[in-house]
Amino acid sequence: MGMGNNKYQNRRDFVRKTGKILVAAPLVFIPAMLAKKIDAKGYVWQIDPLKCTTCGQCKTHCVLTPSAVKCTHKYEMCGYCDLCGGYLRQGVRTISTGAENQICPVGAIKRVFIEEPYFEYTIDEKLCDGCAKCVRGCLDFGNGSLYMQIRHDLCANCNECSIARACPSDAVSRVPVDAPYNIKDRIGPL
Amino acid sequence: MKPDEKDIRLLKFISQVAAGFTLVVALTMLFSLIQLKTIDPLDNPIVASVKEQYDRDPSNALLAEQVRAVDLMARKAYFSSRWQVETGSYLLLAGAVVFIICQRLIAGSKKIAHSRPGMQPDVPGQNKLAMNTLMFAGVVIFTAAIVSSFVLRSALPDTLSEKRLAAGEERESRASRRAVQSAPFVADPTNYPFFRGQDGRGIAGGEGYPTEWDGPAGINIKWKTEIPKYGKSSPVIWGDKIFVTGAEGKECEIYCIDKHTGDIIWTALVHDLPGEPDEIPEMDHDAGMAVSTVATNGSEVCAVFANGNLVCTDTDGRIKWSKNIGNPENIYGYASSLIIYENTLIVQFDSNEKISLMGFDAKSGELKWETPRQGYPSWSSPVIGTFDGQPQVLVNSNPNVTGFNPVTGAQLWAVEAMYGDVAPSCAVNSTMVYAVTDYAKLVAIQPGQPATVIWEDNMFTPDVSSPVANDDFLFLVTGYGDIACYNAQSGDTIWTRYLNEPFYASPIIADNLIYILDRSGVMHIVRAAEEFQLVAKSPIGERADCTPAFSDKEIYIRANTNLYCISESE
Amino acid sequence: MLAWHMVVIAQERFPRPEFETDYTYPEYQLPAARHAAWEYIDTGVLILVLSVTTWLALKKRSRQGLVWISLFSLGYFGFFREGCICSVGSVQNVALALFNDGYSIPLTALLFFIIPLVYALFAGRVFCAGACPLGAIQELTGIWPKKLPRAVEATLATIPFIYLALAVLFSATQSQFIICRYDPFVGIFRLNAPYTMIIFGALLLLAGIFINRPYCRFLCPYGVLLNITSRFASRHLSITPAECINCRLCENACPYNAILPSDLEIKNEEPAVVRRKFITYLVLIPVFVVAGAVALYILSPGLSGANYDVKLAREIRLEMKEGIPAASNAAIAFKGSGRTDEQLFTAETEIIERYRKGGPWAGLFLGLSIGIGLFSLAIRTERTEYRPHKGKCYSCGRCFKYCPVKPKTEST
């Protein structure tokens, strides 16, 4: 400053002003361009049970341990079978609650007798680690009433969900915050 | 406010302790985290091997006990390491926070040493150095980008078209190699001798079959004839004659119908054969005795009924030979159709007592061979295919899909792939056998020694109708109303549609169209191509479960009571 | 031929039970998502924190205050809100929304992107000083700062530009969010992450004890935008509260090499030399721009492998062509999905086309950045005082107490 070289000073001021306009422009234009694409409510991640292939990566690819994905039970779709594909390992000979018969590696499914011949199956979410083995069993031999969902009390709602990136069937996608679950109502896929 | 020297010493000590503590916790945690991720106790090989042992001997209570013990241990290990990680992370955070706060307090109290700086910094020199490194960095970045573009280039689609071409050529050359070994399958345009046509493959010969008709309105209906007795068997055709069966009570009949007029030329009554069971075997209520489809080779017309009566007539209705081959009683009723290879009449016999495959001399009725099969009764029918020059009879059943030598009856190969009730028959093309049943899966098997499963899928599984394949595609329709087209070689699902009507009749490929008859009697005609294209939907006006027959530009559909001839020329 | 077994008319294989006892289906409560109001609270807190930081850095000149406000941000945006949403990652949301019709950007993501830049335009990088939890955790752990040699610093400082270019390219082509994927500290904020993430974060923090703010300086892509914007800031933190007396005491105060020394004692170069340099480096800018655009155009199909469909298509093609079985979970799911090879290959071609379109722009940005960087180093700027480099300064206030000059108001 104070060098008295007005020519340089003016030139520098000009560069500075132009630069300022250039960097300020995007701050105005970007919001203007996005004005129509703004979603005030935001979104969360969720699994589409009809696309899910029960590959088991929900358990391994969530940034959280244990995974924020848990098995969910749509009781209204359940057959309440004694021989439950989601509870018992394939090919078991005896139907009992013994560990040797259970499909769930952490014993998170509770089996309760309701009435002849029906049994109710309940998921203990504290234990469930999201491996989807029971979901596979239920899809193969049952009504598909067990399905995987992301629990929003656990989910960190990452900007890009790690499971979505790993999901082989593109089943994890953004859903609106006010409809955060994909409740299953049919066995699909058709 | 400012800490004095004594405080600083204390702070230093606390921060050192905190640092040590944090480090120990961090290492322990890292170890248990890695353990949890790498040797997941739940996927422990010991658990798996104990379970496997138990599976082999499920009655062993000791083994069951062992599974429980190991499983409990694995779960304990899993949950305790989960707990360790959770608690550890809080400890770690606490340690780190203490350390940082102490260090910050120490740093904040440090006096700035206003030491007189040394030499005036060499600004131009520093600038020059920075410029050089920046220039260098720029050049490195752009070179790295160009170099890595070559590294990352592999498998880019630029050469896609060439590769496709090459793949096509390869397929062609494979096909031509096969052609040298055995003549390719070409279906006869006139004769449609078995259930699902020639060799039971579901492929009709000839071309120019009608696509549009309307049963109730009589559009393109050349004639319709009431079949005197009830039956679920499908029509077969040789020359100008259609053969079909019907039964009421124990009265079983073969009908010969004039292809051009619909007149019944003759009726052969089959009853009271020696060895025949006194009672009608138990079966599904709407099955009946005439479920199995007739097989003909132009000189013999052979039929089998649900009480085990097997009969062969000549084409004029004179019985050449007949015998009862045993009571094929099973839960739904006997359903397998007959097929003839050269002079051998092949019978798939499935009863509660015995399951086997039999070969009779079609002319004399002499039993040439009988090969017992392992497993449970099934309701599928034998199909003939040729692989590596070897003709084979292919049987789909629970649990084995099996290939037999049609001349000697010797089993060539077997693949354990099915379970439950098996009704669909195999589909065959020049390289593979496809077997499917509901609640199990669809498998593509390459016959050989040993036969290998090339691909499988369980998305679409018919319960009754059989799949059909050519060398490009495999089509199937399900009891739920789905139609699916697979890539026959790779197993990729090419397209699927939900047609909303259950299918029992098997789809037939004729002139590059697939004819799919739903249970309400509507024929869905779809192009046998990469893309789904519905060509027409034509109703017959009656419920229909039998597989249609195709001959000389005309289609024959057996509905609940009538046999229809559909012809465009009217 | 037919078999008659149980025909399942509905899709369900086993009919729904008709209970004779008075059993009712259990009420199944799915926990609700976090209330949307939190997003607005976050935005409010962000504005508040930025304003306070601006006041602390520019007016109050309190290093201690800045430490406390960054501690608050670390607690709130870091540990309480678990590091999501953050301005650094919001770059990708903006890029995704700008170039894709199917995605609408959450308002908070847009605000988190814009607000710190607006503050930077008026007051420099106050976001880095007080509001960014990633900056805060590094600032608090940077205990024994050591300076890096200028050459190393200048070379490493190009990484964020590349990182930003790639992050925008990948998100604009719907491939992936690499900034979030390789966020080093989010795992620490959540006290839960894959161990590779934790190790990366811990190593950066350990390095940061000596080399302060390693993520901010050598990785942060949002820092690039703040750097550019902040260069034109109307006001900025100053080292001295009044007039600089050129005592040189602050020369070694900044661990980030962000103090521009006064050049009173430096000889002026010959005008002819100055003019030659000026023209040479001005001409070099378009050269770098073209080189960058060409290089990334060539590289872009290779980069497209970051996209899910492109990766899958490659696997499927290898199977088709060379018989290498496509056995990944993605390939298996694809085969069962009913999507044809054709459709996949068409999608692949489209994405590669988009990479080809976007790649040159990313290269152009890189070339322009390097070109302008060189140019600005080459031309002489006259300084009669010690002052912070507006682009590089994080407004952390470490230099305050090195200055012996007292503010004028105090002396009266």
Side-chain angles (χ1 to χ4, degrees), chain B residues 392-411:
Chain B
Q392 309 191 356
V393 180
L394 304 153
V395 174
N396 186 20
S397 67
N398 173 11
N400 290 321
V401 182
T402 322
F404 297 92
N405 182 325
V407 180
T408 64
Q411 181 179 312

Side-chain angles (χ1 to χ4, degrees), chain A residues 43-121:
Chain A
Y43 47 71
V44 290
W45 295 93
Q46 196 48 272
I47 299 172
D48 181 348
L50 300 185
K51 281 188 183 173
C52 173
T53 58
T54 68
C55 67
Q57 296 199 87
C58 286
K59 176 191 164 184
T60 52
H61 278 70
C62 184
V63 292
L64 302 177
T65 317
S67 170
V69 180
K70 304 276 177 204
C71 176
T72 302
H73 196 182
K74 177 79 175 175
Y75 290 99
E76 288 83 346
M77 279 173 72
C78 180
Y80 286 79
C81 307
D82 185 10
L83 180 64
C84 171
Y87 182 77
L88 299 164
R89 289 199 299 133
Q90 200 181 332
V92 293
R93 303 283 168 89
T94 47
I95 302 176
S96 81
T97 55
E100 70 278 12
N101 295 332
Q102 288 192 28
I103 208 169
C104 180
V106 289
I109 309 177
K110 299 278 168 285
R111 170 183 157 102
V112 176
F113 175 74
I114 301 293
E115 64 179 61
E116 200 55 47
Y118 302 129
F119 289 83
E120 182 195 81
Y121 298 90

Side-chain angles (χ1 to χ4, degrees), chain B residues 53-80:
Chain B
Q53 270 179 32
Y54 168 73
D55 283 347
R56 262 184 261 130
D57 184 10
S59 51
N60 191 334
L62 214 64
L63 278 174
E65 213 43 62
Q66 203 181 347
V67 175
R68 289 177 198 184
V70 172
D71 180 78
L72 184 66
M73 238 155 58
R75 275 194 265 168
K76 256 190 186 157
Y78 171 74
F79 283 108
S80 67

Side-chain angles (χ1 to χ4, degrees), chain B residues 171-295:
Chain B
R171 203 182 301 157
E172 268 173 37
S173 73
R174 252 194 292 167
S176 62
R177 242 180 294 140
R178 217 173 290 119
V180 175
Q181 286 164 355
S182 59
F185 173 84
V186 178
D188 192 277
T190 304
N191 299 329
Y192 189 91
F194 313 126
F195 171 60
R196 299 170 66 226
Q198 191 169 328
D199 290 359
R201 288 189 184 224
I203 295 179
E207 54 186 15
Y209 289 100
T211 54
E212 309 265 356
W213 63 85
D214 189 326
I219 298 166
N220 280 350
I221 306 292
K222 188 170 170 186
W223 51 258
K224 95 178 194 193
T225 299
E226 188 179 339
I227 306 289
K229 287 189 165 70
Y230 178 81
K232 290 282 182 184
S233 67
S234 306
V236 302
I237 297 165
W238 193 278
D240 296 328
K241 290 171 174 167
I242 303 170
F243 305 100
V244 68
T245 63
E248 254 161 40
K250 290 171 77 179
E251 309 257 287
C252 302
E253 288 173 338
I254 307 173
Y255 307 104
C256 173
I257 297 162
D258 187 306
K259 198 168 97 173
H260 304 292
T261 61
D263 299 333
I264 296 179
I265 303 172
W266 53 258
T267 301
L269 179 66
V270 183
H271 67 140
D272 293 333
L273 297 186
E276 176 188 313
D278 299 334
E279 299 293 322
I280 294 175
E282 260 184 62
M283 57 176 70
D284 193 273
H285 65 276
D286 58 352
M289 293 277 270
V291 174
S292 308
T293 300
V294 173

